[in-house]
Amino acid sequence: MNRHLTAVASTLVLGALLSTGTQAATPSPLFTRVFPTTAAVPSALFSGGATVNGGAGFVTSIPADQKAGIVATLVPAAADIGKDASIYMVINAGNAWYMRTPTGFATWNTQVGSLVPYGSAVLAASQTINVTDLEALAGQDFDGKTLRVHVGYQTNTSPLTYGSAIEFAMASTPASTCPNDGFVGIPPAVAGGKRLCVLSGTYTKDVHLTNNFEYIVGGPVFFGVDNAQNVTLTIDAGVKTYGESGADFIRVSRGSKIYVNGTKDAPVIMTGAAEATATASTTGLWGGLVVNGNARVNGCTEGTALCERTAEGNAGTYGGNNDAESSGTINYLIVKYAGFEISPGNELNGITLNGVGSGTVVDYVQVHNGSDDGFELFGGTVNAKHLVLTGNDDDNVDWQTGWRGKIQHVLVLHKSVGDRGIEADNNNAARDSLPRSKGQIANMTIIGKSSNGHGIKLRDGTAANLYNFVVKSAGAGCLDIDHGPTFLNGGSSATALTGELTIINSLFDCTNALVFTSGDNWSTPQWFLGQQGNLVGASSMTGYINSATVNARPAAPLGGDGFFDQVDYIGAVKDAANDWTVGWTFRQPFTTLLP
């Protein structure tokens, strides 16, 4: 076995419990999975949760003064009962992985070949795994982190069988004063009983934002010095930051890391100081979040050993040769009213990821009412899941200069001012620059207005593989492909395709669904309708949740690549019972932006 368990786990909706809540009378059932993913799923059952009382109740957040316990119950497959088995436990905390060993916990490199069991047992009809103090057993301080714990077993005749993650947040011990190194405490207490701390300047030491304060972003705030003085910015669940002007933004420099440890019940919120008076049209109250990384980008002279670029918004340098780099973890983050145009074509967006590598985790993120793009990617290989993009003035997902990542589960809701659902470029100055942009996106719903631009715009030589899309009511058309290099990258004709530019299993519901002009290399309508499972027609959707018409459409096979979740539906949200947007997002746009 030579594949990464961490990659396989991410395919399995890492951390997704079938039932959740701050308290449960019995352990939550967990999805049963096997490794390798091609093996048949056995009849084994897992259940479990985090606990502070030995299993009498289960929680999703551990208070700062409590020990984190784990209780998991394993019901082996019938064929495995009575067999000798190795028992496994792994923990994911931010970007770090640990495996339980017979003597405690050790750092795990995520290679399945290096995974060791912590014990063995003759499998009974039911096995219980009980840890009363996870931090003590692991020898680690997990304060302020979101943990995901997997348990599993393997016999000589069965594959590695494990449950989806038990996910919970460890609260931080609250700081009594604002952190040093440039923070200033500002009395008196603000609404909610929290005092304000000011973030300013450049930080060359690790910074931890705890949720007993709120934070003002004062001007450009830089964490780390470009690949020289690397720091870690940790942000606890429930933290709220405020920018007062478009010049106020947060930048994480190359080599440094950000850990946004939001939870479903307590997301991290980055917003404008004037949000109390914000309306449905308010944008640009502050600058936004920028992360710079060392992954490859394009646009340099051919043969350049190290391609580096200067970020928009005067946000520093990005790019390098480390496509697998981690810039940290962003979980449950809401960015509101961000974006700022410094000069034409030189803008800050809601979230900008510049040359960020695939080791970075981005999951459950909303960008609302950005004055420019919502989620912009300049080069790199970063992946993302569960994006909600609402009311942004320009594009919602925008990539260029060699981005080669994957995204799944995306909902876009436009207001009347707004351009595209996706704007995808390779390089507008040299359209065949390498590495070529190639976004792979699955399960995206784009709901536009008659005044908006295209649902999807593919241009400037980009590649793209798009699966399971629903595009509705985009004013300029559901899809437009521009520029000869984009067409040629996709194929020599509408039927002679390279596989580099594809859309499958998608439904387009726009007045002018497929834009085709005389200058195009080949017919976009012929190309789209000739591919698997595509349809132009009525979606019958009255909101953002799939209609019966949409759910009757076939879905593309996705599982097994280490990232994409295998699903049986197209679009972002199958039904109300599986609405992953509920419980953590800013909900106002769900009523104001829908038809």
Side-chain angles (χ1 to χ4, degrees):
M1 293 185 291
N2 58 7
R3 296 184 61 193
H4 291 188
L5 179 59
T6 181
V8 174
S10 68
T11 309
L12 309 176
V13 196
L14 184 63
L17 298 179
L18 288 179
S19 64
T20 60
T22 56
Q23 284 289 132
T26 57
S28 299
L30 306 175
F31 293 106
T32 298
R33 303 300 181 190
V34 297
F35 183 90
T37 54
T38 54
V41 176
S43 58
L45 299 173
F46 292 84
S47 62
T51 179
V52 295
N53 53 20
F58 292 86
V59 297
T60 55
S61 180
I62 305 291
D65 59 346
Q66 299 290 314
K67 296 177 181 179
I70 295 292
V71 175
T73 300
L74 158 64
V75 177
D80 292 332
I81 295 174
K83 293 182 179 180
D84 292 327
S86 297
I87 309 298
Y88 298 85
M89 178 182 289
V90 297
I91 300 174
N92 170 237
N95 194 47
W97 284 85
Y98 306 92
M99 60 181 174
R100 187 176 178 183
T101 73
T103 58
F105 274 82
T107 301
W108 181 42
N109 64 5
T110 74
Q111 295 285 346
V112 171
S114 68
L115 184 63
V116 300
Y118 72 86
S120 62
V122 176
L123 292 177
S126 177
Q127 305 278 147
T128 298
I129 298 169
N130 192 332
V131 176
T132 57
D133 189 342
L134 193 63
E135 287 183 307
L137 182 63
Q140 298 287 330
D141 179 3
F142 292 131
D143 284 359
K145 291 183 170 60
T146 296
L147 302 189
R148 297 168 181 85
V149 180
H150 292 269
V151 296
Y153 75 93
Q154 185 174 26
T155 72
N156 288 334
T157 58
S158 68
L160 177 61
T161 305
Y162 58 100
S164 63
I166 297 169
E167 180 176 351
F168 59 99
M170 295 283 292
S172 297
T173 302
S176 58
T177 61
C178 291
N180 295 323
D181 203 16
F183 289 79
V184 179
I186 304 222
V190 297
K194 295 183 180 180
R195 292 201 307 157
L196 294 173
C197 295
V198 174
L199 306 173
S200 63
T202 298
Y203 292 90
T204 57
K205 297 178 183 178
D206 292 349
V207 175
H208 189 168
L209 306 185
T210 58
N211 64 15
N212 57 319
F213 291 101
E214 294 186 338
Y215 301 86
I216 294 291
V217 179
V221 181
F222 296 165
F223 291 92
V225 177
D226 187 43
N227 278 336
Q229 294 173 290
N230 298 332
V231 306
T232 296
L233 169 63
T234 301
I235 307 177
D236 286 355
V239 163
K240 197 167 187 178
T241 69
Y242 302 90
E244 297 178 297
S245 73
D248 301 332
F249 67 96
I250 295 171
R251 184 197 77 186
V252 179
S253 304
R254 283 194 302 180
S256 293
K257 298 182 188 297
I258 180 172
Y259 291 97
V260 175
N261 294 319
T263 65
K264 182 177 182 179
D265 296 330
V268 171
I269 299 174
M270 298 181 178
T271 186
E275 75 158 359
T277 58
T279 68
S281 61
T282 298
T283 62
L285 295 182
W286 71 293
L289 173 65
V290 179
V291 181
N292 293 338
N294 285 290
R296 289 184 300 153
V297 300
N298 71 29
C300 296
T301 302
E302 186 175 353
T304 301
L306 177 66
C307 186
E308 299 176 310
R309 299 178 64 95
T310 299
E312 289 188 0
N314 300 329
T317 303
Y318 67 95
N321 291 318
N322 186 1
D323 281 351
E325 181 187 45
S326 171
S327 293
T329 299
I330 299 175
N331 280 321
Y332 288 105
L333 170 66
I334 300 173
V335 175
K336 295 192 286 185
Y337 313 119
F340 180 62
E341 183 180 72
I342 295 171
S343 60
N346 182 25
E347 301 122 346
L348 292 166
N349 308 286
I351 297 176
T352 307
L353 303 179
N354 296 313
V356 173
S358 61
T360 310
V361 175
V362 180
D363 203 0
Y364 293 100
V365 170
Q366 180 181 11
V367 181
H368 175 66
N369 273 28
S371 69
D372 195 60
D373 298 329
F375 192 76
E376 182 147 18
L377 303 137
F378 288 87
T381 52
V382 64
N383 306 315
K385 282 185 177 176
H386 302 106
L387 303 182
V388 176
L389 304 164
T390 53
N392 296 300
D393 279 357
D394 196 7
D395 308 311
N396 286 276
V397 175
D398 187 327
W399 74 71
Q400 57 186 288
T401 61
W403 175 66
R404 290 150 289 128
K406 301 174 182 180
I407 302 176
Q408 188 176 20
H409 311 302
V410 190
L411 175 63
V412 173
L413 301 179
H414 279 283
K415 60 176 182 279
S416 57
V417 175
D419 202 352
R420 299 164 180 138
I422 290 178
E423 181 178 278
D425 302 329
N426 184 42
N427 189 301
N428 62 8
R431 290 171 176 154
D432 286 315
S433 289
L434 299 177
R436 188 185 299 273
S437 296
K438 186 179 181 180
Q440 298 183 63
I441 319 293
N443 294 97
M444 185 168 183
T445 294
I446 301 169
I447 299 178
K449 299 282 194 298
S450 60
S451 54
N452 298 149
H454 301 98
I456 303 168
K457 181 85 161 183
L458 306 173
R459 65 184 192 183
D460 284 328
T462 193
N465 298 131
L466 309 182
Y467 316 92
N468 298 340
F469 270 59
V470 175
V471 183
K472 174 180 167 60
S473 303
C478 283
L479 171 69
D480 186 30
I481 303 174
D482 276 351
H483 306 133
T486 315
F487 286 95
L488 290 174
N489 176 59
S492 59
S493 72
T495 56
L497 305 182
T498 64
E500 294 300 299
L501 191 72
T502 60
I503 302 178
I504 64 172
N505 295 89
S506 295
L507 172 61
F508 286 176
D509 178 8
C510 303
T511 301
N512 181 22
L514 303 167
V515 178
F516 175 52
T517 62
S518 60
D520 291 346
N521 290 40
W522 33 254
S523 167
T524 299
Q526 183 184 7
W527 173 81
F528 176 79
L529 294 171
Q531 295 178 80
Q532 169 188 312
N534 289 340
L535 176 69
V536 173
S539 65
S540 303
M541 289 176 62
T542 58
Y544 67 92
I545 295 174
N546 286 358
S547 63
T549 299
V550 173
N551 282 332
R553 301 298 305 162
L558 296 172
D561 78 321
F563 175 79
F564 287 121
D565 303 324
Q566 181 57 59
V567 297
D568 61 359
Y569 60 93
I570 69 172
V573 181
K574 179 181 180 179
D575 52 38
N578 295 280
D579 188 353
W580 52 267
T581 73
V582 171
W584 65 277
T585 51
F586 177 54
R587 299 304 290 182
Q588 180 223 52
F590 288 77
T591 56
T592 60
L593 298 182
L594 287 169

